[in-house]
Coordinates of all heavy atoms in Angstrom, one line a residue:
M20 N 0.8 -1.2 0.0 CA 0.0 0.0 0.0 C 0.9 1.2 0.0 O 0.6 2.2 -0.7 CB -1.0 0.0 1.2 CG -2.1 -1.0 1.2 SD -3.0 -1.0 2.8 CE -3.7 0.6 2.8
H21 N 1.9 1.3 0.8 CA 2.8 2.4 0.9 C 3.5 2.7 -0.4 O 3.7 3.8 -0.8 CB 3.6 2.3 2.1 CG 4.2 3.7 2.6 ND1 3.5 4.5 3.4 CD2 5.3 4.3 2.3 CE1 4.2 5.6 3.6 NE2 5.3 5.5 2.9
S22 N 3.9 1.6 -1.0 CA 4.7 1.6 -2.2 C 3.9 2.3 -3.4 O 4.3 3.1 -4.1 CB 5.1 0.2 -2.7 OG 5.8 0.3 -3.9
L25 N 3.8 6.1 -3.3 CA 5.1 6.8 -3.6 C 5.4 6.9 -5.0 O 6.3 7.6 -5.5 CB 6.3 6.1 -2.9 CG 6.2 5.9 -1.4 CD1 7.4 5.2 -0.9 CD2 6.1 7.3 -0.7
E35 N 13.8 6.7 -3.2 CA 14.7 5.7 -2.7 C 13.9 4.7 -1.8 O 14.2 3.5 -1.8 CB 15.8 6.3 -1.9 CG 16.8 7.2 -2.8 CD 17.8 7.8 -2.1 OE1 17.8 7.8 -0.8 OE2 18.8 8.4 -2.7
L36 N 13.0 5.2 -1.0 CA 12.1 4.4 -0.1 C 11.4 3.5 -1.1 O 11.2 2.2 -0.8 CB 11.2 5.1 0.8 CG 10.2 4.4 1.5 CD1 10.8 3.3 2.5 CD2 9.3 5.3 2.4
G37 N 10.8 4.0 -2.1 CA 10.0 3.3 -3.1 C 10.7 2.1 -3.6 O 10.3 0.9 -3.8
E38 N 12.0 2.3 -4.0 CA 12.9 1.3 -4.5 C 13.1 0.1 -3.6 O 13.0 -1.0 -3.9 CB 14.2 1.9 -5.0 CG 15.2 0.9 -5.5 CD 16.5 1.5 -5.8 OE1 16.7 2.8 -5.8 OE2 17.4 0.7 -6.2
Q39 N 13.3 0.5 -2.3 CA 13.5 -0.5 -1.3 C 12.2 -1.3 -1.0 O 12.2 -2.5 -0.7 CB 14.0 0.1 0.0 CG 15.4 0.7 -0.1 CD 16.5 -0.4 -0.4 OE1 16.3 -1.5 -0.1 NE2 17.4 0.1 -1.2
L40 N 11.0 -0.6 -1.1 CA 9.8 -1.3 -0.9 C 9.6 -2.3 -2.1 O 9.1 -3.5 -1.8 CB 8.6 -0.3 -0.9 CG 8.4 0.4 0.5 CD1 7.5 1.6 0.3 CD2 7.8 -0.6 1.5
R41 N 9.9 -2.0 -3.2 CA 9.8 -2.9 -4.4 C 10.7 -4.1 -4.2 O 10.3 -5.2 -4.4 CB 10.1 -2.2 -5.6 CG 9.0 -1.2 -6.1 CD 9.2 -0.7 -7.5 NE 10.3 0.3 -7.6 CZ 10.2 1.6 -7.3 NH1 9.1 2.0 -6.9 NH2 11.3 2.4 -7.4
K42 N 11.9 -3.9 -3.7 CA 12.8 -5.0 -3.4 C 12.2 -5.9 -2.4 O 12.3 -7.2 -2.4 CB 14.2 -4.5 -2.9 CG 15.0 -3.8 -4.1 CD 16.2 -3.3 -3.6 CE 17.1 -2.6 -4.7 NZ 18.4 -2.1 -4.2
L43 N 11.5 -5.3 -1.3 CA 11.0 -6.0 -0.2 C 9.9 -6.9 -0.8 O 9.7 -8.1 -0.4 CB 10.5 -5.1 0.8 CG 9.6 -5.7 2.0 CD1 10.4 -6.8 2.7 CD2 9.1 -4.6 3.0
L44 N 9.1 -6.4 -1.6 CA 7.9 -7.1 -2.1 C 8.4 -8.3 -3.0 O 7.8 -9.4 -3.0 CB 7.1 -6.2 -3.1 CG 6.3 -5.1 -2.2 CD1 5.6 -4.2 -3.3 CD2 5.2 -5.8 -1.4
V45 N 9.5 -8.1 -3.7 CA 10.2 -9.2 -4.5 C 10.6 -10.3 -3.6 O 10.3 -11.5 -3.7 CB 11.3 -8.7 -5.3 CG1 12.1 -9.9 -5.9 CG2 10.8 -7.8 -6.4
V46 N 11.2 -10.0 -2.4 CA 11.7 -10.9 -1.4 C 10.5 -11.7 -0.8 O 10.6 -12.9 -0.7 CB 12.5 -10.3 -0.3 CG1 12.8 -11.2 0.8 CG2 13.8 -9.7 -0.9
C47 N 9.4 -10.9 -0.5 CA 8.2 -11.6 0.1 C 7.6 -12.6 -0.9 O 7.3 -13.7 -0.5 CB 7.2 -10.5 0.4 SG 7.5 -9.5 1.9
A48 N 7.6 -12.2 -2.2 CA 7.0 -13.1 -3.2 C 7.8 -14.3 -3.4 O 7.4 -15.4 -3.5 CB 6.9 -12.4 -4.5
T49 N 9.2 -14.1 -3.4 CA 10.1 -15.2 -3.5 C 10.0 -16.2 -2.3 O 10.1 -17.5 -2.5 CB 11.5 -14.7 -3.7 OG1 11.6 -13.8 -4.7 CG2 12.5 -15.9 -3.9
A50 N 9.8 -15.6 -1.1 CA 9.8 -16.5 0.1 C 8.4 -17.0 0.3 O 8.2 -17.8 1.3 CB 10.2 -15.6 1.2
G51 N 7.4 -16.5 -0.5 CA 6.1 -17.0 -0.2 C 5.5 -16.5 1.0 O 4.6 -17.1 1.6
T52 N 5.9 -15.3 1.4 CA 5.4 -14.7 2.6 C 4.2 -13.9 2.4 O 4.0 -13.1 1.4 CB 6.5 -13.7 3.2 OG1 7.7 -14.5 3.4 CG2 6.1 -13.1 4.6
T53 N 3.2 -14.0 3.2 CA 2.0 -13.3 3.1 C 2.2 -11.8 3.7 O 2.7 -11.7 4.8 CB 0.8 -13.9 3.9 OG1 0.7 -15.3 3.5 CG2 -0.5 -13.1 3.8
A54 N 1.8 -10.8 3.0 CA 1.9 -9.5 3.5 C 1.1 -9.2 4.7 O -0.1 -9.7 4.8 CB 1.5 -8.4 2.3
P55 N 1.6 -8.4 5.7 CA 0.9 -8.2 6.9 C -0.4 -7.3 6.6 O -0.4 -6.6 5.6 CB 1.9 -7.4 7.8 CG 2.8 -6.8 6.8 CD 2.9 -7.8 5.7
G80 N 7.5 -16.0 11.1 CA 8.9 -16.3 10.8 C 9.6 -15.3 9.8 O 9.0 -14.9 8.8
I81 N 10.7 -14.9 10.2 CA 11.4 -13.9 9.4 C 12.8 -14.5 9.1 O 13.7 -14.6 10.0 CB 11.5 -12.5 10.1 CG1 10.2 -11.9 10.3 CG2 12.4 -11.6 9.2 CD1 10.3 -10.5 10.9
G82 N 13.1 -14.8 7.9 CA 14.4 -15.2 7.5 C 15.4 -14.1 7.3 O 14.9 -12.9 7.3
N83 N 16.6 -14.4 7.2 CA 17.6 -13.4 7.1 C 17.4 -12.4 5.9 O 17.6 -11.2 6.1 CB 19.0 -14.0 7.1 CG 19.4 -14.6 8.4 OD1 18.9 -14.3 9.4 ND2 20.4 -15.6 8.4
E84 N 17.1 -13.0 4.8 CA 17.0 -12.2 3.6 C 15.8 -11.2 3.8 O 15.9 -10.0 3.4 CB 16.8 -13.0 2.4 CG 16.7 -12.2 1.1 CD 16.4 -13.0 -0.1 OE1 16.2 -14.3 0.0 OE2 16.6 -12.5 -1.3
L85 N 14.7 -11.7 4.4 CA 13.5 -10.8 4.6 C 13.8 -9.7 5.7 O 13.4 -8.7 5.5 CB 12.3 -11.7 5.0 CG 11.0 -10.9 5.3 CD1 10.6 -10.1 4.1 CD2 9.9 -11.9 5.6
L86 N 14.5 -10.2 6.7 CA 14.9 -9.3 7.7 C 15.7 -8.1 7.1 O 15.5 -7.0 7.5 CB 15.7 -10.0 8.8 CG 16.2 -9.1 10.0 CD1 15.1 -8.5 10.8 CD2 17.1 -9.9 10.9
D87 N 16.7 -8.4 6.4 CA 17.6 -7.4 5.7 C 16.6 -6.5 4.9 O 16.9 -5.2 4.9 CB 18.6 -8.0 4.9 CG 19.7 -8.7 5.7 OD1 19.7 -8.4 7.0 OD2 20.5 -9.5 5.2
A88 N 15.8 -7.0 4.1 CA 14.9 -6.1 3.2 C 14.0 -5.3 4.1 O 13.8 -4.1 3.7 CB 14.1 -7.0 2.3
L89 N 13.5 -5.8 5.2 CA 12.6 -5.0 6.1 C 13.4 -3.9 6.7 O 13.0 -2.7 6.7 CB 12.0 -5.8 7.2 CG 10.8 -6.7 6.8 CD1 10.6 -7.8 7.9 CD2 9.6 -5.9 6.6
L90 N 14.6 -4.1 7.1 CA 15.4 -3.1 7.8 C 15.9 -2.0 6.8 O 16.0 -0.9 7.1 CB 16.7 -3.7 8.5 CG 16.4 -4.6 9.6 CD1 17.6 -5.3 10.1 CD2 15.7 -3.8 10.8
A91 N 16.1 -2.5 5.6 CA 16.4 -1.5 4.5 C 15.4 -0.5 4.3 O 15.5 0.7 4.1 CB 16.9 -2.2 3.2
V92 N 14.1 -1.0 4.3 CA 12.9 -0.1 4.1 C 12.8 0.8 5.3 O 12.6 2.0 5.1 CB 11.7 -1.0 3.9 CG1 10.4 -0.2 4.0 CG2 11.6 -1.7 2.6
A93 N 12.9 0.2 6.5 CA 12.8 1.1 7.7 C 13.8 2.2 7.7 O 13.5 3.3 8.1 CB 12.9 0.2 8.9
N94 N 15.1 1.9 7.4 CA 16.1 3.0 7.3 C 15.8 4.1 6.4 O 16.0 5.3 6.7 CB 17.5 2.3 7.1 CG 18.0 1.5 8.2 OD1 17.8 1.9 9.4 ND2 18.8 0.5 7.9
K95 N 15.3 3.7 5.2 CA 15.0 4.7 4.2 C 13.7 5.5 4.7 O 13.6 6.7 4.4 CB 14.6 4.1 2.9 CG 15.8 3.6 2.1 CD 16.8 4.8 1.9 CE 18.1 4.4 1.1 NZ 19.0 5.5 0.9
A96 N 12.7 4.8 5.4 CA 11.6 5.5 5.9 C 12.0 6.5 6.9 O 11.5 7.6 7.0 CB 10.6 4.4 6.5
L107 N 5.5 3.6 9.2 CA 5.9 2.4 8.5 C 7.1 1.9 9.2 O 7.2 0.6 9.4 CB 6.3 2.8 7.0 CG 6.8 1.7 6.2 CD1 5.8 0.6 6.0 CD2 7.3 2.2 4.8
A108 N 8.1 2.7 9.6 CA 9.3 2.2 10.3 C 8.9 1.6 11.6 O 9.4 0.6 12.1 CB 10.3 3.3 10.5
I110 N 6.0 0.1 12.4 CA 5.3 -1.3 12.0 C 6.5 -2.3 11.9 O 6.4 -3.4 12.3 CB 4.5 -1.2 10.7 CG1 3.2 -0.3 11.0 CG2 4.1 -2.6 10.3 CD1 2.4 0.0 9.8
I111 N 7.5 -1.9 11.2 CA 8.6 -2.9 10.9 C 9.3 -3.2 12.2 O 9.7 -4.4 12.4 CB 9.6 -2.3 9.9 CG1 8.9 -2.1 8.5 CG2 10.9 -3.1 9.7 CD1 9.7 -1.5 7.4
S112 N 9.5 -2.3 13.1 CA 10.2 -2.6 14.3 C 9.3 -3.5 15.1 O 9.8 -4.4 15.8 CB 10.5 -1.3 15.1 OG 9.4 -0.7 15.7
T114 N 7.2 -5.7 14.0 CA 7.3 -7.0 13.4 C 8.6 -7.7 13.7 O 8.7 -8.9 14.0 CB 7.1 -6.9 11.8 OG1 5.9 -6.2 11.6 CG2 7.1 -8.2 11.2
V115 N 9.7 -7.0 13.5 CA 11.0 -7.6 13.7 C 11.2 -8.1 15.2 O 11.6 -9.2 15.4 CB 12.1 -6.6 13.4 CG1 13.4 -7.1 13.8 CG2 12.2 -6.3 11.9
L128 N 16.5 0.1 15.7 CA 15.5 0.7 14.9 C 14.4 1.3 15.8 O 13.9 2.4 15.5 CB 14.9 -0.4 13.9 CG 13.7 0.1 13.1 CD1 14.0 1.3 12.2 CD2 13.1 -1.1 12.3

Side-chain angles (χ1 to χ4, degrees):
M20 290 174 64
H21 200 84
S22 181
L25 300 180
E35 292 174 354
L36 171 60
E38 180 182 352
Q39 292 301 327
L40 280 164
R41 286 188 288 275
K42 291 180 180 179
L43 172 60
L44 291 171
V45 170
V46 172
C47 287
T49 303
T52 304
T53 303
I81 297 181
N83 290 336
E84 186 180 10
L85 179 54
L86 176 64
D87 291 344
L89 282 166
L90 293 174
V92 168
N94 285 326
K95 286 299 180 183
L107 179 62
I110 292 171
I111 291 174
S112 74
T114 304
V115 170
L128 170 62

